Amino acid sequence: MTGVDGDPRVAELRGAVARLRRQLAALPGELPDRAAADEELAALDAMVSHGLPEVPRLRRSLLLIAGAVGSVSALSPALGEVRAGIDRFGSLPGGR
């Protein structure tokens, strides 16, 4: 198997991204960084859809998304799922 074909990590991460996107869309009220979060979630989904992404790039996306929605407690579980999905691709040198 090469690329994303049949890689369960890809399916898991794409599912987590989709759930966070749905929850973000359903969130009532204004969120100043909603557009930034939406854009980065779309970019994250595209990354894993077009081959195995680089772990540092995945983690950068996670930081941007967390910065945009991290203060919204209702999104914490879904954001945690995205993080867990990214963690399955491997860790950075030094255990981070």
Side-chain angles (χ1 to χ4, degrees):
M1 256 181 269
T2 61
V4 299
D5 295 337
D7 190 332
R9 299 173 302 174
V10 170
E12 183 179 333
L13 181 54
R14 290 192 74 203
V17 166
R19 280 186 292 281
L20 182 54
R21 289 177 88 178
R22 281 192 306 271
Q23 289 181 15
L24 181 61
L27 193 67
E30 275 302 306
L31 181 63
D33 293 327
R34 184 185 302 258
D38 282 332
E39 289 173 12
E40 199 58 37
L41 284 164
L44 183 57
D45 186 56
M47 271 189 277
V48 296
S49 298
H50 295 101
L52 292 177
E54 298 176 13
V55 173
R57 179 63 179 104
L58 290 174
R59 295 206 180 277
R60 179 182 177 277
S61 287
L62 178 61
L63 285 173
L64 291 171
I65 295 164
V69 303
S71 65
V72 181
S73 61
L75 298 176
S76 292
L79 182 60
E81 289 180 24
V82 171
R83 179 181 179 190
I86 288 172
D87 286 346
R88 285 180 180 69
F89 281 91
S91 60
L92 293 174
R96 293 183 178 223

